[in-house]
Amino acid sequence: MTMDYKDSKWASQILALQQDDGSWGHFHTLSNPTTAQPMTTEQALRRLRILGFTKDDEPIHRAVRYMEINLANPEPTVFHEKKHDSKTYGDLMLAAWLRLFDPENKSALSAAKKWASIIEAAFADGTYSHGAYAAAYEAQIGKKLNPKAGCLANFVVFYQVVLLQGMLLPKTESIVLDYILDYPTGMVYIYNKPLRDLPEAFASKQANHYLAAIEILAGYAGAAAKFNFVAEWLVNNRGNDGLWDMGAVAKDGIHFPLSESWRNPADRKADCTHRVSRILRQLGAQI
C-alpha cells in the first residue's frame, strides 16, 4: 500500500514543466489545471507537496529561491489586479507557500509576524472586530484596507490561514480556529461551506475539498482538540476491510490520484487510506 509518489508519472509530468527560474510560469491560481493553462506555479507546488516533495528536493529548492527573490522585489511581480493591493496580496501568497515548505523561512516570517499582529488585534477582546482588524492592517501594512479587496478584507483565506500557523498566542489561536470553523462561506480557494458542518457524503467531491481545508487547519497546535468531530467522522467512514474509499468522483488531479491509475479499485482505496490516515495522525487520533 506504500508508494514512492515522488517517482510517479504525475511528478515527472510536473517537473518536466518547471522553468529555469524555478517557477512554472504564471504564479497565481489554485483552481484545477486546464488545457489552456496546464500548470501554474501554485498548482505545481500544491500537487508536488501532496506527492511528498519537501524543501530538500532540488525542484522545491529552486522554487523556494524563486519565491524568495520575488518576495524581496519592491514591485509586485506575481499578482496584478486593479482592485487589490497587488504587492501586499502577492507577498501574502509567496510568504504562505514559503512557510508551507519551510515554516522557519526568514523571508516569510516577516510577513507572518505582521499578519499575526493584525489578527491578535482583531481578536483582542475575545471576539472578532473588523474595525480593529482594519486599524491593525493599516498599522502593519502601511496602507488603508480596501473593503472591496475581499481576500485582504477577509482573513479566512488559504494564504492567511497557512501563514498564521504557529504565530498566534494559544488563547487567540483557539478563538480564531472556532471563528474559521463557523465562518459561513468556508475557506476562500479551498471550501465554500461552514467547516463545522460535515459533508453529506464521504465519497464525494465535497468531502475531498472539505479534507483539503482540514489538512491546512491540522497544522495548528490546537487543532486536535477542535477537530474530534472530524476524526470521528473519518473513523466512522472506514470500510469493513479497514480501508477508506472516497469513490472515483474524488479524482481531481490535485489530491488524487497518487497511484499511477485508478483502474484498479484497490489503488483508489490505497490512495484514500493514505490520505485519511495521515490526517488522523495529525489530529492525534487512533487508527
Side-chain angles (χ1 to χ4, degrees):
M1 196 174 293
T2 301
M3 175 182 176
D4 185 356
Y5 303 123
K6 292 196 289 186
D7 291 334
S8 67
K9 69 178 183 181
W10 311 116
S12 297
Q13 290 171 359
I14 296 170
L15 297 179
L17 297 173
Q18 190 174 23
Q19 300 186 6
D20 291 342
D21 64 358
S23 77
W24 280 261
H26 184 68
F27 186 84
H28 174 57
T29 183
L30 283 171
S31 60
N32 294 5
T34 65
T35 302
Q37 178 59 67
M39 191 65 57
T40 66
T41 299
E42 283 195 294
Q43 289 166 345
L45 290 173
R46 177 170 59 177
R47 182 68 165 143
L48 290 175
R49 187 168 179 266
I50 289 167
L51 293 171
F53 283 76
T54 72
K55 66 176 182 178
D56 296 324
D57 293 300
E58 191 270 342
I60 302 301
H61 180 77
R62 291 171 56 205
V64 164
R65 184 59 186 148
Y66 160 82
M67 291 188 287
E68 288 175 335
I69 290 171
N70 281 275
L71 187 58
N73 195 316
E75 299 298 322
T77 57
V78 298
F79 184 77
H80 302 276
E81 201 170 299
K82 290 182 179 179
K83 68 177 181 179
H84 281 82
D85 174 356
S86 293
K87 174 60 177 170
T88 298
Y89 199 44
D91 286 356
L92 175 62
M93 295 176 186
L94 292 165
W97 280 106
L98 284 168
R99 290 208 75 214
L100 270 174
F101 284 100
D102 181 8
E104 300 304 316
N105 184 280
K106 292 182 180 179
S107 298
L109 278 175
S110 176
K113 290 175 182 177
K114 288 182 179 180
W115 277 96
S117 294
I118 293 169
I119 299 305
E120 290 285 355
F123 286 88
D125 292 334
T127 58
Y128 177 70
S129 166
H130 191 69
Y133 176 89
Y137 178 96
E138 183 175 354
Q140 292 295 326
I141 305 300
K143 300 176 183 178
K144 285 187 177 295
L145 179 66
N146 179 356
K148 295 182 180 181
C151 289
L152 291 175
N154 161 30
F155 78 91
V156 189
V157 178
F158 167 80
Y159 305 110
Q160 289 95 319
V161 173
V162 166
L163 197 60
L164 290 167
Q165 290 181 13
M167 304 301 298
L168 301 173
L169 294 173
K171 181 179 178 180
T172 307
E173 181 188 281
S174 178
I175 299 169
V176 167
L177 285 176
D178 283 330
Y179 182 86
I180 292 172
L181 279 172
D182 293 323
Y183 201 72
T185 54
M187 187 186 302
V188 176
Y189 293 117
I190 305 298
Y191 192 72
N192 62 3
K193 295 182 179 181
L195 291 166
R196 186 83 68 182
D197 300 336
L198 292 167
E200 295 178 3
F202 179 72
S204 65
K205 290 182 180 180
Q206 182 187 15
N208 186 23
H209 297 156
Y210 181 82
L211 289 185
I214 298 302
E215 284 166 329
I216 296 167
L217 292 171
Y220 282 81
K226 297 286 185 183
F227 299 128
N228 285 331
F229 72 101
V230 177
E232 290 177 5
W233 173 67
L234 291 174
V235 170
N236 289 338
N237 276 283
R238 194 174 195 173
N240 292 331
D241 56 2
L243 304 176
W244 281 271
D245 186 2
M246 299 188 73
V249 71
K251 182 180 178 181
D252 60 0
I254 300 171
H255 303 93
F256 295 124
L258 303 174
S259 301
E260 295 289 301
S261 170
W262 274 13
R263 285 190 293 270
N264 185 345
D267 291 329
R268 184 181 72 229
K269 288 186 177 183
D271 286 0
C272 294
T273 299
H274 172 83
R275 184 184 187 190
V276 173
S277 297
R278 186 181 65 242
I279 295 171
L280 286 172
R281 286 193 297 270
Q282 286 179 297
L283 297 179
Q286 296 293 325
I287 302 175

